[in-house]
Amino acid sequence: MKTVLITGASSGFGEAVALRFAKVGWNVVATMRDPSAAGPELGSWPNLLATRLDVQDRQTIASAIEEGIQRFGGIDVVVNNAGYGLFGIFEGVSREAIHAQFDVNVFGAMDVVRAILPHFRSKGSGMIVNVSSGAGAIGFPMASIYSASKFALEGWSEGLSYELDSIGIKVKIVEPGGATRTNFMQRTGAESGRQQPIEDYAPFLRSIGTLYEGMGSSADPDAVEKVAAAIFTAATDGSNQLRYSPTDDIQPILNARRSSSEQAYRSLTLGIFTPKAA
Ligand code: NAP
């Protein structure tokens, strides 16, 4: 019987992934900042332990891992899913907010991996699945800091994958597109509300706002299920594939990023994001 530990399992992709693993008989350590907020469905699985883990608090990382090992005899897979989006014009975002974004999306994931590696090394095996974003491959306006954090997560994951491969431990990256049936946009909206408005950007913000509203309405309605399935596949398919991009909405722009020339990609994205410059 295998065991997965998931961060940020109180809602969204994390909760869906926890249920996905639990339903096929895995032991699940579903971690979250406030276990009393665990969705009712999580409580109905005897093979699922909901426990506290705040990726900004290394003590809770250590104790959640220890609790999982004690309860289930070991941990085979770690899913670094906890994260949020800091959206807004760079100049209007405070230095503190930028540090907090990296603290959760990047340093939090690194601390979880640092804490699990001795256990994985002692077993000679292990799997790490890091949840990035389409914004981990593409720099989106109004999301430059979020993109920077997910680019950092991806660069670290890719480099790390070679180091860990040499000792039998795998690293995977999952890149979801937009999903509306999670708490992501709610938290993003709350973060945006704390920013300094700067009048000079107002026309740009209006056009980007209209563009993003259109993109939001074309978000893949099955994104949550697709992302949960992709995380499960990444963890279990036995392949050496690094990246998984499961939602349809970002495929055209990801393909342009990865399969066309730098100039063709630049022309396409200028046309989308700053039409006057294209
Ligand atoms: P969500 O419903 O808001 O879930 C995010 C989870 O991260 C929540 O459980 C949240 O816990 C947790 N979290 C936040 N800060 C944390 C911390 N310091 N320590 C531990 N947990 C923390 O959003 P989601 O859409 O499922 O997002 C999950 C992941 O997918 C994130 O990494 C996000 O960047 C990525 N993603 C989302 C989208 C999208 O459009 N939804 C697209 C691409 C990538 P609390 O409940 O305690 O806040």
Side-chain angles (χ1 to χ4, degrees), residues 5-9 29-35 50-65 67 78 80 82 108 112 115:
L5 181 146
I6 302 156
T7 66
V29 188
T31 75
M32 55 202 79
R33 291 193 288 185
D34 175 9
T51 193
R52 177 167 150 71
L53 189 160
D54 181 337
V55 298
Q56 292 177 283
D57 178 346
R58 281 182 292 155
Q59 184 53 48
T60 66
I61 296 173
S63 56
I65 289 174
E67 207 183 337
V78 164
N80 277 308
V112 171

Coordinates of all heavy atoms in Angstrom, one line a residue, residues 5-9 29-35 50-65 67 78 80 82 108 112 115:
L5 N 1.7 12.3 0.3 CA 1.5 13.5 1.1 C 1.3 14.6 0.2 O 2.1 14.9 -0.8 CB 2.7 13.7 2.0 CG 2.6 14.9 3.0 CD1 3.3 14.7 4.3 CD2 3.2 16.2 2.3
I6 N 0.2 15.4 0.4 CA -0.2 16.5 -0.4 C -0.3 17.8 0.4 O -0.9 17.8 1.5 CB -1.6 16.2 -1.1 CG1 -1.6 14.9 -1.9 CG2 -2.0 17.4 -2.0 CD1 -2.9 14.3 -2.0
T7 N 0.3 18.9 -0.1 CA 0.2 20.2 0.6 C -1.0 20.9 0.0 O -1.3 20.8 -1.2 CB 1.5 21.0 0.5 OG1 1.7 21.4 -0.9 CG2 2.7 20.3 1.0
G8 N -1.6 21.8 0.8 CA -2.7 22.6 0.3 C -3.9 21.8 -0.1 O -4.5 22.1 -1.1
A9 N -4.3 20.8 0.7 CA -5.4 19.9 0.4 C -6.7 20.3 0.9 O -7.7 19.6 0.9 CB -5.0 18.5 0.9
V29 N -1.9 11.5 3.1 CA -1.7 12.5 4.2 C -2.1 13.8 3.5 O -1.3 14.4 2.7 CB -0.2 12.5 4.6 CG1 0.0 13.4 5.9 CG2 0.3 11.1 5.0
A30 N -3.3 14.2 3.8 CA -3.8 15.4 3.2 C -3.5 16.6 4.2 O -4.1 16.7 5.2 CB -5.3 15.3 3.0
T31 N -2.5 17.4 3.8 CA -2.1 18.5 4.7 C -2.7 19.8 4.3 O -2.9 20.1 3.2 CB -0.6 18.5 4.8 OG1 -0.1 19.2 3.6 CG2 0.1 17.2 5.0
M32 N -2.9 20.6 5.4 CA -3.4 22.0 5.1 C -3.1 22.9 6.3 O -2.7 22.4 7.4 CB -4.9 21.9 4.9 CG -5.7 21.2 6.0 SD -7.3 20.5 5.5 CE -6.8 19.0 4.6
R33 N -3.3 24.2 6.1 CA -2.9 25.1 7.2 C -3.9 24.9 8.4 O -3.5 25.1 9.5 CB -3.0 26.5 6.7 CG -1.8 26.8 5.8 CD -1.7 28.3 5.5 NE -2.8 28.8 4.7 CZ -2.8 30.1 4.2 NH1 -1.8 30.9 4.6 NH2 -3.8 30.5 3.5
D34 N -5.2 24.6 8.1 CA -6.2 24.5 9.1 C -7.0 23.2 8.9 O -8.0 23.3 8.2 CB -7.1 25.8 9.1 CG -8.2 25.6 10.1 OD1 -8.2 24.7 10.9 OD2 -9.1 26.5 10.1
P35 N -6.6 22.1 9.5 CA -7.3 20.9 9.3 C -8.8 20.9 9.6 O -9.6 20.1 9.1 CB -6.6 19.8 10.2 CG -5.3 20.4 10.5 CD -5.5 21.9 10.4
A50 N -5.9 13.8 7.7 CA -5.9 15.2 7.4 C -5.1 15.9 8.6 O -5.4 15.7 9.8 CB -7.3 15.8 7.4
T51 N -4.0 16.6 8.3 CA -3.2 17.1 9.3 C -2.6 18.5 8.9 O -2.7 18.9 7.8 CB -2.1 16.1 9.7 OG1 -1.5 16.6 11.0 CG2 -1.0 16.0 8.7
R52 N -2.1 19.2 9.9 CA -1.6 20.5 9.7 C -0.3 20.6 9.0 O 0.7 19.9 9.5 CB -1.6 21.3 11.1 CG -1.1 22.7 11.0 CD -1.4 23.4 12.3 NE -0.4 24.5 12.5 CZ -0.3 25.6 11.9 NH1 -1.1 25.9 10.8 NH2 0.7 26.5 12.2
L53 N -0.2 21.4 8.0 CA 1.1 21.8 7.4 C 1.0 23.1 6.8 O 0.2 23.3 5.9 CB 1.6 20.7 6.4 CG 3.0 20.8 5.8 CD1 3.4 19.5 5.2 CD2 3.1 21.9 4.8
D54 N 1.8 24.1 7.3 CA 1.9 25.4 6.7 C 3.2 25.4 6.1 O 4.3 25.3 6.8 CB 1.7 26.5 7.8 CG 1.8 27.9 7.2 OD1 2.4 28.1 6.2 OD2 1.3 28.8 7.9
V55 N 3.3 25.6 4.7 CA 4.6 25.6 4.1 C 5.6 26.7 4.5 O 6.8 26.7 4.2 CB 4.5 25.5 2.5 CG1 3.8 24.3 2.0 CG2 3.9 26.8 2.0
Q56 N 5.0 27.7 5.2 CA 5.9 28.8 5.8 C 6.4 28.5 7.2 O 7.0 29.3 7.8 CB 5.1 30.1 5.7 CG 4.9 30.6 4.3 CD 4.1 31.9 4.3 OE1 2.9 31.9 4.5 NE2 4.7 33.0 4.1
D57 N 6.0 27.3 7.7 CA 6.4 26.9 9.1 C 7.1 25.5 9.0 O 6.4 24.5 8.9 CB 5.1 26.9 9.9 CG 5.4 26.5 11.4 OD1 6.5 26.0 11.7 OD2 4.4 26.7 12.2
R58 N 8.4 25.5 9.1 CA 9.2 24.3 8.9 C 8.8 23.2 10.0 O 8.9 22.0 9.7 CB 10.7 24.5 8.9 CG 11.1 25.1 7.5 CD 12.5 25.3 7.4 NE 12.9 26.4 8.2 CZ 14.1 26.6 8.8 NH1 15.1 25.7 8.5 NH2 14.4 27.6 9.5
Q59 N 8.5 23.7 11.2 CA 8.1 22.8 12.3 C 6.9 21.9 11.8 O 6.8 20.7 12.1 CB 7.8 23.5 13.6 CG 7.6 22.7 14.8 CD 8.6 21.6 15.0 OE1 9.8 22.0 15.0 NE2 8.2 20.4 15.1
T60 N 5.9 22.6 11.2 CA 4.7 21.8 10.8 C 5.0 20.9 9.6 O 4.4 19.9 9.5 CB 3.5 22.8 10.4 OG1 3.9 23.5 9.2 CG2 3.2 23.8 11.5
I61 N 6.0 21.3 8.8 CA 6.4 20.4 7.7 C 7.0 19.1 8.3 O 6.6 18.0 7.9 CB 7.4 21.1 6.8 CG1 6.8 22.3 6.1 CG2 8.0 20.0 5.8 CD1 7.8 23.1 5.3
A62 N 7.9 19.3 9.3 CA 8.5 18.1 9.9 C 7.5 17.2 10.6 O 7.5 16.0 10.5 CB 9.6 18.6 10.9
S63 N 6.6 17.9 11.3 CA 5.7 17.1 12.1 C 4.6 16.3 11.2 O 4.3 15.2 11.5 CB 5.0 17.8 13.2 OG 4.3 19.0 12.7
A64 N 4.2 17.0 10.1 CA 3.3 16.3 9.2 C 3.9 15.1 8.6 O 3.3 14.0 8.4 CB 2.8 17.3 8.2
I65 N 5.2 15.2 8.2 CA 5.9 14.1 7.6 C 6.0 13.0 8.6 O 5.8 11.8 8.3 CB 7.3 14.6 7.0 CG1 7.1 15.5 5.8 CG2 8.2 13.4 6.7 CD1 8.3 16.1 5.2
E67 N 4.2 12.4 11.2 CA 2.9 11.8 11.5 C 2.5 10.8 10.4 O 2.0 9.7 10.7 CB 1.9 12.9 11.6 CG 0.7 12.6 12.5 CD -0.3 13.7 12.5 OE1 0.1 14.9 12.3 OE2 -1.5 13.4 12.8
V78 N 5.3 12.9 -2.7 CA 4.9 14.2 -2.2 C 4.4 15.1 -3.3 O 5.1 15.2 -4.4 CB 6.2 14.8 -1.5 CG1 5.9 16.3 -1.3 CG2 6.5 14.1 -0.2
N80 N 3.6 18.8 -4.1 CA 3.7 20.2 -3.6 C 2.7 21.0 -4.4 O 3.0 21.5 -5.5 CB 5.2 20.8 -3.9 CG 6.1 20.4 -2.8 OD1 5.9 20.7 -1.7 ND2 7.2 19.8 -3.2
A82 N 0.5 23.4 -2.6 CA 0.1 24.7 -1.9 C 0.7 25.9 -2.7 O 1.8 25.8 -3.1 CB 0.7 24.7 -0.5
G108 N 8.6 27.4 0.2 CA 7.8 26.4 0.9 C 7.9 25.1 0.2 O 8.1 24.1 0.9
V112 N 9.6 21.6 1.9 CA 9.0 20.3 2.0 C 9.9 19.3 1.4 O 10.1 18.2 2.0 CB 7.6 20.4 1.3 CG1 7.0 19.0 1.1 CG2 6.6 21.3 2.0
A115 N 12.8 18.4 3.6 CA 12.4 17.6 4.8 C 12.1 16.2 4.4 O 12.3 15.3 5.3 CB 11.1 18.3 5.4

